[in-house]
Amino acid sequence: MGVDTPRGTPAGVRPGEVTYDHLIIPSHWRRSNESTPGAPNALFPPDGGAPAQSSLPPINPTTGAMTGPLLVGTTARAFAKLDDLIRLSAEDKAVIAARRDEAERALRAIFRPRCALPLVGVATIGSAGRDTMIRPLDEVDIFAVFSAANSAWKRFRWDSRDLVLCVRNAIGGERIQTIGSRGQALRIVYDSPPDVHLVPAFDHPRAGYVMPDRVGGWLPTRPERHTSWTADLGPRVISAVRLLKAWNRVCGSHLRSFHIEALAGQVLAGRGLNTRQGLAEVFRHMDEVGLVAADPADVGGDLSAYLRPEDVDALAETIRAARIYSAKAVGAEQAGDHEEAVALWGSVFGPEFPTFG
């Protein structure tokens, strides 16, 4: 389907009647009355630049490039070293910015303001946009938002997959894949990492944004709410999120990235715990309470719904061990025994964790 190819409407429906109204928009995540066309949008800053980053300093100090053995003298220093190892570098962030800029240039050249499918804006979303991604940098989620003007919504509302196909054909035919649990995105493969997941969406006048699902319907999404919610958690919790993702990777990557973020935020928001205490508290919660976590934007429901009973059973022993070792490690640190604390945390995080010495 070309950019300017109209799609017909179902029999019995006049074109003028085709609106957003068939979408059920829950009142608790509708846009406010003040949110009107042209109003400030946190996802697309008015200067065209990237969303503002928090001015708060990182909770762990920057320790520089690691060129020798990761020997540390305190538990806090061990975590600072691990954070250096897993968080994205300035070079990684520059690559992400370049991918976003390349996507915007390409899309604006095709989907011009007066065409049948005008582009609203392009933004980095997902963990790369929230600064919770860990190395290696292998993929970036790029959000491409289109306007419903010029009858665009009338053409695509009945089968959202047509929007994905339209964008795919216009930019050169990259493959389509699932993003999240139910959404559709285009995977754009580069010669070297990271690849790009290009997520097409419509700017919804009441709800925020709607993106294609895998069966032709539309999924509500509010990435700007996710970004602001994560930033409000503060640097300690964000550091704990990255560390939990590193632990998840060591344990087989059973948990999805945003599920980890929501779970950690649900447990730690406003608690004032240091990073080590926060990790121990999340492991305790996972062991005692479970893995249920609500979407902080009140859109996606329970973010643990993708887990099968057998997945939960497979994780149970790993979570229990992490809870036991982390609790003992916090106790050892409080008693001044950093060597023991570092050794215990090494049992949680595996060989990547620095060694005491």
Side-chain angles (χ1 to χ4, degrees):
M1 174 181 290
V3 174
D4 296 312
T5 304
R7 178 179 176 85
T9 58
V13 179
R14 296 195 303 272
E17 295 177 336
V18 181
T19 70
Y20 283 100
D21 293 339
H22 76 292
L23 289 172
I24 300 174
I25 310 303
S27 59
H28 63 279
W29 63 273
R30 289 185 180 182
R31 280 182 173 167
S32 66
N33 293 332
E34 292 76 22
S35 181
T36 59
N41 186 330
L43 196 62
F44 308 111
D47 61 1
Q53 299 294 322
S54 172
S55 61
L56 294 173
I59 193 63
N60 288 325
T62 300
T63 58
M66 292 173 292
T67 58
L70 301 182
L71 301 179
V72 294
T74 67
T75 312
R77 191 66 176 172
F79 275 88
K81 286 286 189 180
L82 181 59
D83 196 51
D84 271 352
L85 180 65
I86 65 174
R87 71 185 175 195
L88 299 185
S89 66
E91 291 78 11
D92 292 327
K93 293 179 180 180
V95 171
I96 291 171
R99 292 286 194 265
R100 194 210 71 84
D101 292 345
E102 289 168 6
E104 181 164 19
R105 283 195 298 270
L107 291 168
R108 287 200 183 281
I110 300 168
F111 301 101
R112 299 178 180 275
R114 295 183 181 275
C115 82
L117 186 62
L119 184 72
V120 172
V122 177
T124 305
I125 59 170
S127 56
R130 296 187 296 271
D131 196 28
T132 58
M133 180 175 280
I134 64 173
R135 293 178 183 172
L137 175 60
D138 55 2
E139 58 191 29
V140 178
D141 295 337
I142 303 294
F143 202 50
V145 179
F146 296 93
S147 170
N150 301 344
S151 301
W153 177 252
K154 296 178 183 180
R155 293 166 46 210
F156 296 105
R157 63 165 283 192
W158 301 110
D159 194 337
S160 63
R161 292 169 296 186
D162 286 349
L163 174 63
V164 183
L165 290 171
C166 175
V167 176
R168 185 194 70 177
N169 294 339
I171 65 176
E174 298 293 354
R175 67 178 183 268
I176 298 171
Q177 70 174 58
T178 299
I179 188 169
S181 59
R182 294 181 293 151
Q184 278 202 329
L186 303 174
R187 186 176 186 91
I188 303 173
V189 180
Y190 284 74
D191 291 336
S192 60
D195 294 340
V196 166
H197 292 163
L198 185 65
V199 185
F202 272 116
D203 185 13
H204 194 289
R206 289 176 295 157
Y209 307 94
V210 288
M211 59 180 283
D213 67 11
R214 293 181 296 173
V215 294
W218 297 92
L219 294 173
T221 183
R222 297 302 301 267
E224 82 285 10
R225 284 189 178 181
H226 291 154
T227 299
S228 62
W229 176 82
T230 302
D232 288 344
L233 293 175
R236 283 190 176 89
V237 179
I238 293 174
S239 177
V241 165
R242 287 195 294 262
L243 292 162
L244 285 166
K245 291 184 179 184
W247 164 81
N248 180 56
R249 183 170 61 195
V250 169
C251 298
S253 300
H254 292 284
L255 302 177
R256 290 180 177 169
S257 176
F258 189 57
H259 179 200
I260 293 172
E261 294 185 34
L263 186 62
Q266 174 180 292
V267 175
L268 300 179
R271 298 286 296 275
L273 303 174
N274 68 35
T275 304
R276 287 87 64 203
Q277 293 168 333
L279 289 170
E281 182 61 18
V282 172
F283 290 134
R284 183 204 64 78
H285 179 94
M286 293 165 68
D287 187 36
E288 288 187 1
V289 181
L291 298 171
V292 172
D295 185 332
D298 293 329
V299 175
D302 176 16
L303 297 176
S304 71
Y306 65 93
L307 290 169
R308 300 168 299 176
E310 54 266 35
D311 296 326
V312 176
D313 292 341
L315 276 168
E317 185 175 346
T318 301
I319 292 172
R320 175 62 58 83
R323 175 191 179 177
I324 293 171
Y325 284 125
S326 62
K328 289 181 177 180
V330 169
E333 181 183 358
Q334 291 173 343
D337 190 349
H338 292 282
E339 183 173 6
E340 176 68 7
V342 168
L344 287 164
W345 281 117
S347 299
V348 175
F349 286 99
E352 283 190 343
F353 200 76
T355 303
F356 183 86

